[in-house]
mmCIF file of all heavy atoms in Angstrom:
data_model
loop_
_atom_site.group_PDB
_atom_site.id
_atom_site.type_symbol
_atom_site.label_atom_id
_atom_site.label_comp_id
_atom_site.label_asym_id
_atom_site.label_seq_id
_atom_site.Cartn_x
_atom_site.Cartn_y
_atom_site.Cartn_z
ATOM 1 N N LYS F 677 -29.834 -0.487 -4.289
ATOM 2 C CA LYS F 677 -29.445 -1.228 -3.060
ATOM 3 C C LYS F 677 -27.958 -1.022 -2.888
ATOM 4 O O LYS F 677 -27.181 -1.265 -3.809
ATOM 5 C CB LYS F 677 -29.802 -2.708 -3.192
ATOM 6 C CG LYS F 677 -29.414 -3.531 -1.980
ATOM 7 C CD LYS F 677 -30.015 -4.935 -2.049
ATOM 8 C CE LYS F 677 -29.437 -5.770 -3.187
ATOM 9 N NZ LYS F 677 -29.937 -7.152 -3.160
ATOM 10 N N PHE F 678 -27.534 -0.590 -1.700
ATOM 11 C CA PHE F 678 -26.125 -0.287 -1.505
ATOM 12 C C PHE F 678 -25.710 -0.440 -0.060
ATOM 13 O O PHE F 678 -26.566 -0.525 0.845
ATOM 14 C CB PHE F 678 -25.816 1.131 -1.994
ATOM 15 C CG PHE F 678 -26.468 2.238 -1.185
ATOM 16 C CD1 PHE F 678 -25.795 2.834 -0.134
ATOM 17 C CD2 PHE F 678 -27.764 2.648 -1.440
ATOM 18 C CE1 PHE F 678 -26.395 3.853 0.644
ATOM 19 C CE2 PHE F 678 -28.375 3.665 -0.693
ATOM 20 C CZ PHE F 678 -27.687 4.256 0.347
ATOM 21 N N LYS F 679 -24.402 -0.451 0.166
ATOM 22 C CA LYS F 679 -23.825 -0.345 1.506
ATOM 23 C C LYS F 679 -22.880 0.874 1.505
ATOM 24 O O LYS F 679 -22.209 1.148 0.524
ATOM 25 C CB LYS F 679 -23.040 -1.594 1.867
ATOM 26 C CG LYS F 679 -23.909 -2.845 2.026
ATOM 27 C CD LYS F 679 -23.139 -4.045 2.531
ATOM 28 C CE LYS F 679 -24.051 -5.238 2.753
ATOM 29 N NZ LYS F 679 -23.309 -6.398 3.313
ATOM 30 N N LEU F 680 -22.873 1.586 2.605
ATOM 31 C CA LEU F 680 -22.068 2.811 2.695
ATOM 32 C C LEU F 680 -20.579 2.465 2.642
ATOM 33 O O LEU F 680 -20.106 1.599 3.383
ATOM 34 C CB LEU F 680 -22.376 3.533 4.015
ATOM 35 C CG LEU F 680 -23.643 4.386 4.073
ATOM 36 C CD1 LEU F 680 -23.814 4.975 5.463
ATOM 37 C CD2 LEU F 680 -23.632 5.480 3.023
ATOM 38 N N LEU F 681 -19.888 3.160 1.741
ATOM 39 C CA LEU F 681 -18.423 3.029 1.637
ATOM 40 C C LEU F 681 -17.998 1.581 1.512
ATOM 41 O O LEU F 681 -16.976 1.181 2.083
ATOM 42 C CB LEU F 681 -17.759 3.697 2.862
ATOM 43 C CG LEU F 681 -18.079 5.164 3.111
ATOM 44 C CD1 LEU F 681 -17.413 5.658 4.373
ATOM 45 C CD2 LEU F 681 -17.626 6.043 1.942
ATOM 46 N N GLU F 682 -18.713 0.843 0.703
ATOM 47 C CA GLU F 682 -18.422 -0.613 0.593
ATOM 48 C C GLU F 682 -17.029 -0.832 0.058
ATOM 49 O O GLU F 682 -16.402 -1.850 0.347
ATOM 50 C CB GLU F 682 -19.461 -1.256 -0.282
ATOM 51 C CG GLU F 682 -19.434 -2.769 -0.255
ATOM 52 C CD GLU F 682 -20.623 -3.391 -0.887
ATOM 53 O OE1 GLU F 682 -21.419 -2.679 -1.598
ATOM 54 O OE2 GLU F 682 -20.847 -4.596 -0.732
ATOM 55 N N ASP F 683 -16.513 0.101 -0.737
ATOM 56 C CA ASP F 683 -15.208 -0.100 -1.344
ATOM 57 C C ASP F 683 -14.063 0.037 -0.342
ATOM 58 O O ASP F 683 -12.917 -0.287 -0.678
ATOM 59 C CB ASP F 683 -14.997 0.930 -2.473
ATOM 60 C CG ASP F 683 -15.102 2.380 -2.019
ATOM 61 O OD1 ASP F 683 -15.695 2.620 -0.945
ATOM 62 O OD2 ASP F 683 -14.553 3.265 -2.716
ATOM 63 N N VAL F 684 -14.351 0.498 0.857
ATOM 64 C CA VAL F 684 -13.306 0.618 1.886
ATOM 65 C C VAL F 684 -12.871 -0.747 2.380
ATOM 66 O O VAL F 684 -11.767 -0.926 2.944
ATOM 67 C CB VAL F 684 -13.777 1.526 3.042
ATOM 68 C CG1 VAL F 684 -12.747 1.593 4.151
ATOM 69 C CG2 VAL F 684 -14.120 2.910 2.544
ATOM 70 N N GLY F 685 -13.737 -1.765 2.206
ATOM 71 C CA GLY F 685 -13.357 -3.107 2.613
ATOM 72 C C GLY F 685 -13.718 -3.492 4.018
ATOM 73 O O GLY F 685 -13.248 -4.511 4.526
ATOM 74 N N THR F 686 -14.521 -2.677 4.711
ATOM 75 C CA THR F 686 -14.895 -2.966 6.079
ATOM 76 C C THR F 686 -15.993 -4.019 6.221
ATOM 77 O O THR F 686 -16.239 -4.508 7.289
ATOM 78 C CB THR F 686 -15.355 -1.682 6.783
ATOM 79 O OG1 THR F 686 -16.479 -1.144 6.068
ATOM 80 C CG2 THR F 686 -14.248 -0.661 6.825
ATOM 81 N N HIS F 687 -16.673 -4.310 5.128
ATOM 82 C CA HIS F 687 -17.805 -5.258 5.105
ATOM 83 C C HIS F 687 -18.877 -4.843 6.123
ATOM 84 O O HIS F 687 -19.142 -5.562 7.103
ATOM 85 C CB HIS F 687 -17.314 -6.668 5.372
ATOM 86 C CG HIS F 687 -16.305 -7.170 4.379
ATOM 87 N ND1 HIS F 687 -16.579 -7.428 3.057
ATOM 88 C CD2 HIS F 687 -14.947 -7.395 4.520
ATOM 89 C CE1 HIS F 687 -15.499 -7.809 2.440
ATOM 90 N NE2 HIS F 687 -14.481 -7.804 3.301
ATOM 91 N N PRO F 688 -19.506 -3.703 5.885
ATOM 92 C CA PRO F 688 -20.552 -3.238 6.794
ATOM 93 C C PRO F 688 -21.741 -4.170 6.784
ATOM 94 O O PRO F 688 -22.043 -4.833 5.789
ATOM 95 C CB PRO F 688 -20.931 -1.862 6.242
ATOM 96 C CG PRO F 688 -20.536 -1.917 4.788
ATOM 97 C CD PRO F 688 -19.302 -2.779 4.749
ATOM 98 N N ASN F 689 -22.454 -4.240 7.899
ATOM 99 C CA ASN F 689 -23.608 -5.158 8.024
ATOM 100 C C ASN F 689 -24.946 -4.425 8.065
ATOM 101 O O ASN F 689 -25.895 -4.850 8.654
ATOM 102 C CB ASN F 689 -23.419 -6.017 9.266
ATOM 103 C CG ASN F 689 -22.384 -7.111 9.071
ATOM 104 O OD1 ASN F 689 -22.533 -7.967 8.206
ATOM 105 N ND2 ASN F 689 -21.282 -7.035 9.789
ATOM 106 N N VAL F 690 -24.958 -3.255 7.394
ATOM 107 C CA VAL F 690 -26.200 -2.513 7.159
ATOM 108 C C VAL F 690 -26.336 -2.319 5.654
ATOM 109 O O VAL F 690 -25.413 -1.828 4.989
ATOM 110 C CB VAL F 690 -26.179 -1.147 7.857
ATOM 111 C CG1 VAL F 690 -27.427 -0.349 7.506
ATOM 112 C CG2 VAL F 690 -26.021 -1.297 9.358
ATOM 113 N N THR F 691 -27.462 -2.782 5.106
ATOM 114 C CA THR F 691 -27.769 -2.612 3.699
ATOM 115 C C THR F 691 -28.875 -1.578 3.564
ATOM 116 O O THR F 691 -29.807 -1.521 4.378
ATOM 117 C CB THR F 691 -28.264 -3.942 3.091
ATOM 118 O OG1 THR F 691 -27.243 -4.912 3.204
ATOM 119 C CG2 THR F 691 -28.624 -3.760 1.618
ATOM 120 N N TYR F 692 -28.739 -0.718 2.545
ATOM 121 C CA TYR F 692 -29.696 0.334 2.329
ATOM 122 C C TYR F 692 -30.482 0.081 1.029
ATOM 123 O O TYR F 692 -29.898 -0.363 0.023
ATOM 124 C CB TYR F 692 -29.020 1.685 2.223
ATOM 125 C CG TYR F 692 -28.403 2.156 3.525
ATOM 126 C CD1 TYR F 692 -27.089 1.882 3.812
ATOM 127 C CD2 TYR F 692 -29.169 2.875 4.449
ATOM 128 C CE1 TYR F 692 -26.512 2.317 5.034
ATOM 129 C CE2 TYR F 692 -28.611 3.297 5.647
ATOM 130 C CZ TYR F 692 -27.280 3.027 5.917
ATOM 131 O OH TYR F 692 -26.729 3.463 7.086
ATOM 132 N N LEU F 693 -31.768 0.403 1.041
ATOM 133 C CA LEU F 693 -32.606 0.400 -0.129
ATOM 134 C C LEU F 693 -32.998 1.867 -0.412
ATOM 135 O O LEU F 693 -33.475 2.549 0.474
ATOM 136 C CB LEU F 693 -33.872 -0.402 0.036
ATOM 137 C CG LEU F 693 -33.694 -1.866 0.476
ATOM 138 C CD1 LEU F 693 -35.058 -2.519 0.665
ATOM 139 C CD2 LEU F 693 -32.897 -2.636 -0.555
ATOM 140 N N GLY F 694 -32.705 2.342 -1.627
ATOM 141 C CA GLY F 694 -33.044 3.726 -1.946
ATOM 142 C C GLY F 694 -31.896 4.465 -2.590
ATOM 143 O O GLY F 694 -30.895 3.868 -3.025
ATOM 144 N N GLN F 695 -32.007 5.767 -2.628
ATOM 145 C CA GLN F 695 -31.029 6.603 -3.271
ATOM 146 C C GLN F 695 -29.740 6.685 -2.471
ATOM 147 O O GLN F 695 -29.748 7.107 -1.323
ATOM 148 C CB GLN F 695 -31.624 8.001 -3.460
ATOM 149 C CG GLN F 695 -30.670 9.011 -4.122
ATOM 150 C CD GLN F 695 -30.338 8.672 -5.544
ATOM 151 O OE1 GLN F 695 -31.196 8.337 -6.324
ATOM 152 N NE2 GLN F 695 -29.028 8.696 -5.861
ATOM 153 N N GLU F 696 -28.627 6.319 -3.108
ATOM 154 C CA GLU F 696 -27.324 6.460 -2.455
ATOM 155 C C GLU F 696 -26.834 7.905 -2.609
ATOM 156 O O GLU F 696 -26.844 8.446 -3.716
ATOM 157 C CB GLU F 696 -26.335 5.512 -3.078
ATOM 158 C CG GLU F 696 -24.942 5.545 -2.430
ATOM 159 C CD GLU F 696 -24.018 4.486 -2.987
ATOM 160 O OE1 GLU F 696 -24.392 3.801 -3.960
ATOM 161 O OE2 GLU F 696 -22.904 4.346 -2.434
ATOM 162 N N PRO F 697 -26.378 8.527 -1.513
ATOM 163 C CA PRO F 697 -25.860 9.878 -1.619
ATOM 164 C C PRO F 697 -24.687 9.969 -2.567
ATOM 165 O O PRO F 697 -23.780 9.126 -2.505
ATOM 166 C CB PRO F 697 -25.461 10.226 -0.189
ATOM 167 C CG PRO F 697 -26.243 9.293 0.679
ATOM 168 C CD PRO F 697 -26.365 8.027 -0.124
ATOM 169 N N GLY F 698 -24.680 10.961 -3.442
ATOM 170 C CA GLY F 698 -23.536 11.149 -4.356
ATOM 171 C C GLY F 698 -22.414 11.889 -3.696
ATOM 172 O O GLY F 698 -22.505 12.336 -2.545
ATOM 173 N N PRO F 699 -21.304 12.059 -4.409
ATOM 174 C CA PRO F 699 -20.109 12.693 -3.844
ATOM 175 C C PRO F 699 -20.335 14.115 -3.371
ATOM 176 O O PRO F 699 -19.658 14.594 -2.458
ATOM 177 C CB PRO F 699 -19.107 12.666 -5.006
ATOM 178 C CG PRO F 699 -19.568 11.565 -5.885
ATOM 179 C CD PRO F 699 -21.043 11.535 -5.773
ATOM 180 N N GLU F 700 -21.322 14.802 -3.961
ATOM 181 C CA GLU F 700 -21.561 16.203 -3.578
ATOM 182 C C GLU F 700 -22.779 16.358 -2.708
ATOM 183 O O GLU F 700 -23.343 17.450 -2.565
ATOM 184 C CB GLU F 700 -21.735 17.035 -4.845
ATOM 185 C CG GLU F 700 -20.584 16.965 -5.838
ATOM 186 C CD GLU F 700 -19.259 17.390 -5.167
ATOM 187 O OE1 GLU F 700 -19.282 18.345 -4.355
ATOM 188 O OE2 GLU F 700 -18.234 16.754 -5.489
ATOM 189 N N ALA F 701 -23.234 15.292 -2.060
ATOM 190 C CA ALA F 701 -24.415 15.332 -1.235
ATOM 191 C C ALA F 701 -24.228 16.244 -0.029
ATOM 192 O O ALA F 701 -23.119 16.319 0.536
ATOM 193 C CB ALA F 701 -24.789 13.920 -0.737
ATOM 194 N N HIS F 702 -25.255 16.932 0.379
ATOM 195 C CA HIS F 702 -25.199 17.814 1.534
ATOM 196 C C HIS F 702 -26.560 17.784 2.235
ATOM 197 O O HIS F 702 -27.611 17.572 1.619
ATOM 198 C CB HIS F 702 -24.853 19.253 1.144
ATOM 199 C CG HIS F 702 -25.805 19.882 0.180
ATOM 200 N ND1 HIS F 702 -25.706 19.621 -1.194
ATOM 201 C CD2 HIS F 702 -26.871 20.679 0.326
ATOM 202 C CE1 HIS F 702 -26.665 20.270 -1.843
ATOM 203 N NE2 HIS F 702 -27.407 20.935 -0.920
ATOM 204 N N GLN F 703 -26.534 17.983 3.513
ATOM 205 C CA GLN F 703 -27.748 17.909 4.319
ATOM 206 C C GLN F 703 -28.630 19.133 4.079
ATOM 207 O O GLN F 703 -28.124 20.260 3.919
ATOM 208 C CB GLN F 703 -27.398 17.816 5.787
ATOM 209 C CG GLN F 703 -28.610 17.613 6.718
ATOM 210 C CD GLN F 703 -28.268 17.482 8.163
ATOM 211 O OE1 GLN F 703 -27.103 17.641 8.498
ATOM 212 N NE2 GLN F 703 -29.230 17.266 8.998
ATOM 213 N N VAL F 704 -29.942 18.871 4.077
ATOM 214 C CA VAL F 704 -30.918 19.942 3.997
ATOM 215 C C VAL F 704 -31.914 19.749 5.135
ATOM 216 O O VAL F 704 -31.957 18.679 5.763
ATOM 217 C CB VAL F 704 -31.647 19.956 2.621
ATOM 218 C CG1 VAL F 704 -30.656 20.217 1.487
ATOM 219 C CG2 VAL F 704 -32.392 18.634 2.401
ATOM 220 N N GLU F 705 -32.727 20.736 5.362
ATOM 221 C CA GLU F 705 -33.729 20.621 6.421
ATOM 222 C C GLU F 705 -34.702 19.512 6.067
ATOM 223 O O GLU F 705 -35.271 19.453 4.972
ATOM 224 C CB GLU F 705 -34.470 21.912 6.561
ATOM 225 C CG GLU F 705 -35.471 21.920 7.749
ATOM 226 C CD GLU F 705 -36.093 23.263 8.006
ATOM 227 O OE1 GLU F 705 -35.345 24.241 8.138
ATOM 228 O OE2 GLU F 705 -37.349 23.350 8.049
ATOM 229 N N GLY F 706 -34.918 18.586 7.004
ATOM 230 C CA GLY F 706 -35.759 17.453 6.761
ATOM 231 C C GLY F 706 -37.201 17.690 7.093
ATOM 232 O O GLY F 706 -37.626 18.786 7.486
ATOM 233 N N PRO F 707 -38.055 16.657 6.980
ATOM 234 C CA PRO F 707 -39.468 16.823 7.236
ATOM 235 C C PRO F 707 -39.816 17.107 8.713
ATOM 236 O O PRO F 707 -40.855 17.626 9.038
ATOM 237 C CB PRO F 707 -40.072 15.497 6.795
ATOM 238 C CG PRO F 707 -38.916 14.546 6.802
ATOM 239 C CD PRO F 707 -37.711 15.323 6.491
ATOM 240 N N THR F 708 -38.925 16.715 9.661
ATOM 241 C CA THR F 708 -39.152 16.939 11.075
ATOM 242 C C THR F 708 -37.943 17.667 11.654
ATOM 243 O O THR F 708 -36.801 17.209 11.484
ATOM 244 C CB THR F 708 -39.366 15.608 11.821
ATOM 245 O OG1 THR F 708 -40.466 14.908 11.207
ATOM 246 C CG2 THR F 708 -39.709 15.863 13.271
ATOM 247 N N LYS F 709 -38.181 18.722 12.396
ATOM 248 C CA LYS F 709 -37.092 19.458 13.031
ATOM 249 C C LYS F 709 -36.734 18.805 14.347
ATOM 250 O O LYS F 709 -37.562 18.361 15.098
ATOM 251 C CB LYS F 709 -37.489 20.913 13.272
ATOM 252 C CG LYS F 709 -37.745 21.724 11.989
ATOM 253 C CD LYS F 709 -38.123 23.172 12.312
ATOM 254 C CE LYS F 709 -38.353 23.963 11.026
ATOM 255 N NZ LYS F 709 -38.743 25.362 11.329
ATOM 256 N N TYR F 710 -35.427 18.808 14.642
ATOM 257 C CA TYR F 710 -34.934 18.168 15.869
ATOM 258 C C TYR F 710 -35.529 18.820 17.109
ATOM 259 O O TYR F 710 -35.889 18.126 18.072
ATOM 260 C CB TYR F 710 -33.435 18.203 15.909
ATOM 261 C CG TYR F 710 -32.781 17.183 15.009
ATOM 262 C CD1 TYR F 710 -32.845 17.308 13.636
ATOM 263 C CD2 TYR F 710 -32.138 16.064 15.539
ATOM 264 C CE1 TYR F 710 -32.268 16.365 12.782
ATOM 265 C CE2 TYR F 710 -31.557 15.125 14.710
ATOM 266 C CZ TYR F 710 -31.627 15.272 13.350
ATOM 267 O OH TYR F 710 -31.074 14.296 12.510
ATOM 268 N N GLU F 711 -35.626 20.145 17.098
ATOM 269 C CA GLU F 711 -36.104 20.851 18.295
ATOM 270 C C GLU F 711 -37.563 20.550 18.573
ATOM 271 O O GLU F 711 -38.073 20.819 19.660
ATOM 272 C CB GLU F 711 -35.894 22.346 18.122
ATOM 273 C CG GLU F 711 -36.561 22.974 16.917
ATOM 274 C CD GLU F 711 -35.597 23.060 15.724
ATOM 275 O OE1 GLU F 711 -34.659 22.210 15.649
ATOM 276 O OE2 GLU F 711 -35.763 23.983 14.900
ATOM 277 N N ASP F 712 -38.284 19.986 17.589
ATOM 278 C CA ASP F 712 -39.688 19.649 17.776
ATOM 279 C C ASP F 712 -39.899 18.253 18.328
ATOM 280 O O ASP F 712 -41.037 17.826 18.567
ATOM 281 C CB ASP F 712 -40.463 19.802 16.482
ATOM 282 C CG ASP F 712 -40.491 21.236 15.965
ATOM 283 O OD1 ASP F 712 -40.337 22.149 16.829
ATOM 284 O OD2 ASP F 712 -40.659 21.461 14.774
ATOM 285 N N VAL F 713 -38.790 17.498 18.478
ATOM 286 C CA VAL F 713 -38.902 16.115 18.933
ATOM 287 C C VAL F 713 -38.121 15.923 20.203
ATOM 288 O O VAL F 713 -36.880 15.769 20.189
ATOM 289 C CB VAL F 713 -38.374 15.164 17.838
ATOM 290 C CG1 VAL F 713 -38.525 13.684 18.299
ATOM 291 C CG2 VAL F 713 -39.114 15.378 16.536
ATOM 292 N N GLY F 714 -38.785 15.905 21.351
ATOM 293 C CA GLY F 714 -38.125 15.589 22.606
ATOM 294 C C GLY F 714 -36.959 16.510 22.899
ATOM 295 O O GLY F 714 -36.996 17.727 22.698
ATOM 296 N N ASP F 715 -35.830 15.895 23.286
ATOM 297 C CA ASP F 715 -34.626 16.626 23.620
ATOM 298 C C ASP F 715 -33.537 16.470 22.557
ATOM 299 O O ASP F 715 -32.342 16.666 22.846
ATOM 300 C CB ASP F 715 -34.076 16.111 24.971
ATOM 301 C CG ASP F 715 -35.009 16.443 26.129
ATOM 302 O OD1 ASP F 715 -35.635 17.505 26.055
ATOM 303 O OD2 ASP F 715 -35.090 15.612 27.066
ATOM 304 N N LEU F 716 -33.909 16.097 21.330
ATOM 305 C CA LEU F 716 -32.952 15.905 20.302
ATOM 306 C C LEU F 716 -32.290 17.215 19.905
ATOM 307 O O LEU F 716 -32.905 18.274 19.895
ATOM 308 C CB LEU F 716 -33.562 15.273 19.036
ATOM 309 C CG LEU F 716 -34.091 13.848 19.173
ATOM 310 C CD1 LEU F 716 -34.663 13.367 17.870
ATOM 311 C CD2 LEU F 716 -32.965 12.896 19.628
ATOM 312 N N VAL F 717 -31.000 17.127 19.588
ATOM 313 C CA VAL F 717 -30.258 18.277 19.119
ATOM 314 C C VAL F 717 -29.538 17.880 17.839
ATOM 315 O O VAL F 717 -28.840 16.849 17.780
ATOM 316 C CB VAL F 717 -29.213 18.742 20.193
ATOM 317 C CG1 VAL F 717 -28.327 19.832 19.625
ATOM 318 C CG2 VAL F 717 -29.929 19.232 21.426
ATOM 319 N N ASP F 718 -29.706 18.688 16.807
ATOM 320 C CA ASP F 718 -29.103 18.362 15.515
ATOM 321 C C ASP F 718 -27.604 18.636 15.532
ATOM 322 O O ASP F 718 -26.791 17.805 15.188
ATOM 323 C CB ASP F 718 -29.791 19.198 14.447
ATOM 324 C CG ASP F 718 -29.347 18.804 13.031
ATOM 325 O OD1 ASP F 718 -28.545 17.869 12.915
ATOM 326 O OD2 ASP F 718 -29.806 19.418 12.068
ATOM 327 N N LYS F 719 -27.237 19.832 15.947
ATOM 328 C CA LYS F 719 -25.839 20.216 15.952
ATOM 329 C C LYS F 719 -25.193 19.786 17.251
ATOM 330 O O LYS F 719 -25.250 20.495 18.271
ATOM 331 C CB LYS F 719 -25.703 21.734 15.740
ATOM 332 C CG LYS F 719 -26.216 22.195 14.398
ATOM 333 C CD LYS F 719 -26.057 23.705 14.220
ATOM 334 C CE LYS F 719 -26.534 24.171 12.864
ATOM 335 N NZ LYS F 719 -26.396 25.607 12.666
#
Side-chain angles (χ1 to χ4, degrees):
K677 178 169 67 175
F678 66 94
K679 293 185 177 183
L680 281 177
L681 303 176
E682 192 168 13
D683 59 338
V684 177
T686 58
H687 301 292
N689 286 296
V690 177
T691 299
Y692 292 93
L693 305 178
Q695 178 65 47
E696 182 174 6
E700 304 303 321
H702 58 278
Q703 185 179 4
V704 298
E705 185 173 308
T708 304
K709 295 181 179 180
Y710 283 70
E711 57 266 29
D712 295 337
V713 181
D715 294 326
L716 292 181
V717 174
D718 187 2
K719 296 181 179 180

